[in-house]
Amino acid sequence: MKIIARNLSRSTTEEQLTEAFTQFAELEYCTLVLDKVTGKSKGFGFVEINDDKKALLAIVKLNGTKLDGKVIRVKKLKINKH
DNA sequence: GTTGAGCGT
């Protein structure tokens, strides 16, 4: 299940995202979107988790929590529209 | 060097 984490701090790193999610599930994929020009964080990233139930749990647990001192917004990505 | 809604190098 793909997950997106928005509203991240610009200083938040990919490993911080990883550690946050790894508390609830094993991450299959994790990336932090970086700006092409500055190379800094765009403030959001994507996470992939195999276990859907754990993924949903991680979303609920991490959504609204503070990461790097900032409240983050975690949601599921576009679900199969087919 | 910065910024604050979002669905990706």
Side-chain angles (χ1 to χ4, degrees), chain A residues 21-34:
Chain A
F21 276 91
T22 343
Q23 298 177 91
F24 305 97
E26 302 292 328
L27 303 188
E28 292 300 326
Y29 178 72
C30 180
T31 184
L32 186 68
V33 181
L34 305 178

Side-chain angles (χ1 to χ4, degrees), chain A residues 2-59:
Chain A
K2 280 192 175 184
I3 302 174
I4 180 177
R6 299 191 276 109
N7 206 272
L8 300 176
S9 174
R10 297 191 180 281
S11 57
T12 303
T13 64
E14 183 176 302
E15 72 172 76
Q16 287 179 330
L17 247 187
T18 305
E19 291 186 34
F21 276 91
T22 343
Q23 298 177 91
F24 305 97
E26 302 292 328
L27 303 188
E28 292 300 326
Y29 178 72
C30 180
T31 184
L32 186 68
V33 181
L34 305 178
D35 187 83
K36 13 181 167 66
V37 183
T38 64
K40 303 297 173 55
S41 170
K42 276 187 179 178
F44 69 97
F46 296 89
V47 177
E48 174 97 34
I49 299 179
N50 274 351
D51 294 284
D52 290 2
K53 56 181 186 305
K54 289 185 179 180
L56 292 173
L57 181 64
I59 293 175

